[in-house]
Structures are given as structure tokens and as C-alpha cells.
Amino acid sequence: MADFNVTGLDDVMKEMMSHQQAAEEAIPEMLNAGADILVKAQKSEVQSMKLVDTGDMMKSIKGDKIKKDKDGNSYIDVYPQGKNRRGGRNADVAFVNEYGKSNQDARPWMRTANAKCSDEITEKEKEIWDKNKGG
């Protein structure tokens, strides 16, 4: 029978646990900060593409609460919510603007905004992670 000795495993376990604790603290902060940046970028893109009629759709762009997917990964949805003053869903208005329809060209405000701010979101989330893990 062979002997198996490991030296330093306790230190490795402590390091892993500290990262787990840092992740539990950092992830909500990271997601909320990223959502805030995305909301601002999407609202700005709606304005720059001149998609503002009443302003209802633009004002309704918000982030949801943090949710978990089937694999346990956390996320926040950012999209136009609620109804406009005419009773239509803001998400439907946003969809038509994004993808167009037979008599209206697509004006991809959401994809454009998401692409424009992705680096800023990544940098902000990295800054929060580094702060929380002590690095």
C-alpha cells in the first residue's frame, strides 16, 4: 500500500474559500454596476438614434433583480419594462425599433449600445472583483 502526503493543502483550501467568499460578496455588486452602465448606454443610444417619441420606452429601460439560471449562474436582465401611455408594451416598441418590420427599417439601438459599453462594463466588474478579493 502506498502512502500519500500533501503539504500545503490547508493553505490552498483557505485561498479557495477566500475567493468563494469574495465572489459571494462581489457578484451582486458587479452585476448591479454592470446593469447601471448598460441602462445608461441603452438610454443614450435611444436618444442618439432619435427613437424618442413620448420618451416612455427610453424611461422604462431598467435592470431587473438578480436571478439565477438553471446552472446557478447569476444574471440581470436589462430591457424596457411596463407599458407606454398608449397602453402598448415598451418591450414591443423596443423590439420593433431593434429589428424593424415590413414598412420600417431596423434600428438596432440595443445591440449598438451593448457593444459600445461592453468594455466599460468589463472594466468596472474587474475593478469590483479586485477590490473584493483584495487584489
Side-chain angles (χ1 to χ4, degrees), residues 33-96:
D36 289 345
I37 293 168
L38 186 55
V39 166
K40 288 176 189 168
Q42 287 184 1
K43 287 181 176 186
S44 176
E45 200 60 36
V46 167
Q47 285 185 314
S48 72
M49 288 191 173
K50 298 180 177 35
L51 301 177
V52 180
D53 179 13
T54 63
D56 292 343
M57 183 194 75
M58 183 185 71
K59 291 175 192 165
S60 76
I61 299 171
K62 295 180 174 71
D64 274 346
K65 293 181 179 178
I66 297 173
K67 301 175 195 166
K68 289 195 183 280
D69 66 14
K70 63 181 172 125
D71 297 323
N73 299 313
S74 299
Y75 67 96
I76 295 179
D77 287 321
V78 174
Y79 63 97
Q81 301 177 20
K83 294 188 177 190
N84 61 28
R85 62 189 77 196
R86 296 180 195 123
R89 291 182 54 227
N90 287 310
D92 293 340
V93 174
F95 182 89
V96 170

Side-chain angles (χ1 to χ4, degrees), residues 5 8 33-34 45 47 52 71 73 94 103 106 109 121 130-132 135:
N5 290 324
E45 200 60 36
Q47 285 185 314
V52 180
D71 297 323
N73 299 313
N103 61 348
W109 63 274
I121 291 172
D130 288 344
K131 176 187 78 173
N132 277 279

